[in-house]
Amino acid sequence: MPIDHSMPLTVENTPVYDPAIRQPEPTEIPLRPQSVSSILEGTPITTDKGELPIEFIQPGDFVLTKDDNFTPVRGIGSYTVSRWDMIRQPELRPIVFPVGSIGNTEELRFCGMHRVFLSSVFADMIFGTPDVLATARSCVGHRGIYEDARKKPPRYYQLLLDRHELIGSAGGWSESLFLGDVPLQTQEHPRNWIMANDFDVAQILHTETARMTLDQRESRVLFNKMNTVSAA
């Protein structure tokens, strides 16, 4: 399902325009998939060797997935977001998931458009399935989840697998990179944005997400229902 950007969340510490921050020229903007699933540097990923910070994972390493046990990483993308990027695209700001917010035993940090796994009887009641995916940004304000107001430019990583998967992160689950979110122009030039060793990324074709994806409005409906019941 498409992601609805028409209902931006109001969060504290929103950066304001600073004329000292120069907008990059179009020729300076690298061909890379931003505003899609991205995991902040330092976030733990469950591998066959234990929990590892995502920046230590290499193509060919095996990561834990919810549906296919340990699965090889085919490619890894990475990029650093500038202050200008975060002003121009608020969805690129890091979102912090405290311990226990999605079953995680360690703090997790994702890009705002990264989707996390949620399972709830209320999702089943509303959407006909208990297991859904919601963007990290749509979770802000619930279960202690908040936007990181850091000024340091965040560095993000993306894990590409044979299909869209739910990847383990210290007990929580979130998505691998879904090529359906990546512009075709970018997919046609994989060497510009992804490290894959000798693997041909062009062999991978993602046709569907691992679970039903909620847009921002649907996520609000779900969280409002969950909060109403928990407050009763």
Side-chain angles (χ1 to χ4, degrees), residues 46-139:
T46 307
T47 74
D48 59 343
K49 300 175 183 177
E51 300 289 338
L52 290 178
I54 190 168
E55 62 269 26
F56 292 155
I57 295 177
Q58 299 293 320
D61 288 350
F62 284 76
V63 296
L64 179 64
T65 66
K66 195 169 183 64
D67 300 320
D68 293 313
N69 204 354
F70 289 100
T71 300
V73 175
R74 297 303 189 186
I76 299 176
S78 65
Y79 61 94
T80 299
V81 176
S82 68
R83 290 178 61 193
W84 170 257
D85 288 333
M86 289 190 288
I87 292 172
R88 186 169 57 93
Q89 296 177 272
E91 65 271 18
L92 291 175
R93 301 169 192 163
I95 306 298
V96 182
F97 286 72
V99 171
S101 54
I102 54 171
N104 47 310
T105 58
E106 296 183 41
E107 184 178 85
L108 306 177
R109 294 172 183 253
F110 306 115
C111 173
M113 298 314 296
H114 188 80
R115 291 178 284 237
V116 298
F117 172 76
L118 303 174
S119 184
S120 168
V121 294
F122 301 111
D124 197 14
M125 292 169 52
I126 300 170
F127 306 112
T129 175
D131 298 342
V132 295
L133 293 173
T135 64
R137 189 166 176 80
S138 71
C139 297

